[in-house]
Amino acid sequence: MPVSFSDLQTAFSKLGLTKNLVIAHASLRAFGPIEGGAETMLNALLDSVRGIIMPAFTYKTMLNPEIGPPKNGITYGSETDLNKMAEAFHSDMPVDPTMGVLPEVLRKHPKAKRSSHPIQSFAGIRADAILNTQTIYNPLAPISALADQDGWVLLLGVDHRVNTSIHYAEKLGGRLQFIRWALLQDRVVECPGFPGDSEGFNAIAPALEKYTRRVEIGNALVQAVHLKSLIKVVVDQLKENPFALLCGRQDCERCTAVRWS
Ligand SMILES: [Zn+2]
């Protein structure tokens, strides 16, 4: 049986978030067939929360220069071919396909707004004030604003490896941030505050247990995590162990840069 709008609505209502703003991350494939697909998912979410944002990142604007600052988790001059294919950011540039289909459906919704960061933009509905906080110097400011508004993180069939809010908490916890470069119509812009690698983020899950609400829908697990609590838990872990939540890959440039910082 495919998952229906009312299945989604019933399950989401158990999360008790009708008065809250959320940042959502989703893999629709995890749910199995959904009647009406991504549009149904988005409409059910809009029915169940006060407002929503999703990362609408655009990695194809990125350029890798020949030289740059050290300890930046990058091998300079290594992506000459990708540089040739880089596209200048524009406000209706599609969301990177690696983010899944839901953020692109959200971005194209008639009521959606999108922030203008050339790599790390967010799309949202009924969350304009949150989106407006983003700057080129503070790309994850919307996460901070969301936490101030008692927001929640919604993980829809995905785990903490896509949980962008953990990156914001890492920054607060003093973790090394990176610089990247993006192509605009008329110039290249330096983008500070680019986060580290997220492959090791699932290690945070046990510590978030008491701040997490769960429902199952179809084949998928949906988790809602209280954002302010998540940020505190991550900052506390980094205080205790500056290498917490790094991945185990020897060749991971960003985790290696953090270990040497
Ligand atoms: Zn790593």
Side-chain angles (χ1 to χ4, degrees):
M1 283 287 281
V3 174
S4 69
F5 178 81
S6 72
D7 294 337
L8 292 168
Q9 218 182 15
T10 306
F12 291 152
S13 72
K14 290 178 191 154
L15 297 172
L17 299 177
T18 50
K19 294 191 171 68
N20 295 93
L21 295 164
V22 302
I23 177 167
H25 308 275
S27 164
L28 298 191
R29 201 174 305 160
F31 288 78
I34 301 171
E35 272 172 32
E39 281 81 9
T40 300
M41 174 63 78
L42 181 59
N43 289 331
L45 284 169
L46 288 171
D47 250 29
S48 313
V49 300
R50 191 177 112 210
I52 184 170
I53 66 168
M54 293 188 80
F57 298 170
T58 46
Y59 298 121
K60 66 178 174 186
T61 61
M62 292 174 79
L63 294 169
N64 180 348
E66 287 296 315
I67 50 165
K71 293 176 193 154
N72 196 23
I74 193 170
T75 305
Y76 292 112
S78 65
E79 285 172 21
T80 344
D81 287 347
L82 281 178
N83 283 351
K84 281 181 204 148
M85 291 190 291
E87 280 179 42
F89 179 75
H90 53 92
S91 60
D92 51 2
M93 181 175 247
V95 178
D96 194 277
T98 59
M99 317 287 301
V101 293
L102 194 61
E104 178 62 2
V105 170
L106 169 65
R107 181 190 74 80
K108 293 205 295 209
H109 190 283
K111 289 188 177 146
K113 292 275 187 338
R114 185 193 211 172
S115 63
S116 59
H117 193 286
I119 304 170
Q120 294 171 276
S121 68
F122 290 85
I125 295 178
R126 302 193 300 252
D128 294 7
I130 301 283
L131 297 176
N132 288 341
T133 61
Q134 192 183 42
T135 67
I136 198 84
Y137 304 105
N138 197 357
L140 297 182
I143 311 276
S144 168
L146 197 63
D148 288 344
Q149 299 248 350
D150 208 28
W152 286 67
V153 178
L154 263 187
L155 300 174
L156 301 148
V158 289
D159 61 32
H160 287 289
R161 288 174 297 170
V162 298
N163 188 345
T164 310
S165 301
I166 297 177
H167 288 303
Y168 172 70
E170 285 184 308
K171 185 189 171 188
L172 276 190
R175 176 153 283 177
L176 180 67
Q177 305 284 292
F178 302 103
I179 298 169
R180 292 295 181 265
W181 292 266
L183 189 60
L184 303 186
Q185 300 300 330
D186 55 347
R187 66 200 153 100
V188 174
V189 67
E190 183 177 293
C191 303
F194 194 80
D197 175 43
S198 55
E199 270 306 301
F201 281 5
N202 278 330
I204 199 70
L208 294 175
E209 202 52 41
K210 59 181 164 183
Y211 310 112
T212 302
R213 299 174 185 170
R214 285 193 185 85
V215 287
E216 277 176 44
I217 308 174
N219 304 322
L221 178 65
V222 173
Q223 305 187 76
V225 189
H226 184 245
L227 178 53
K228 209 172 232 178
S229 306
L230 175 145
I231 291 170
K232 188 179 183 312
V233 166
V234 172
V235 169
D236 287 350
Q237 282 216 357
L238 290 182
K239 227 178 267 173
E240 215 171 279
N241 171 14
F243 303 140
L245 308 182
L246 297 179
C247 85
R249 266 177 43 212
Q250 295 300 311
D251 62 344
C252 179
E253 292 184 289
R254 283 178 292 170
C255 291
T256 302
V258 170
R259 287 199 178 89
W260 283 93
S261 65

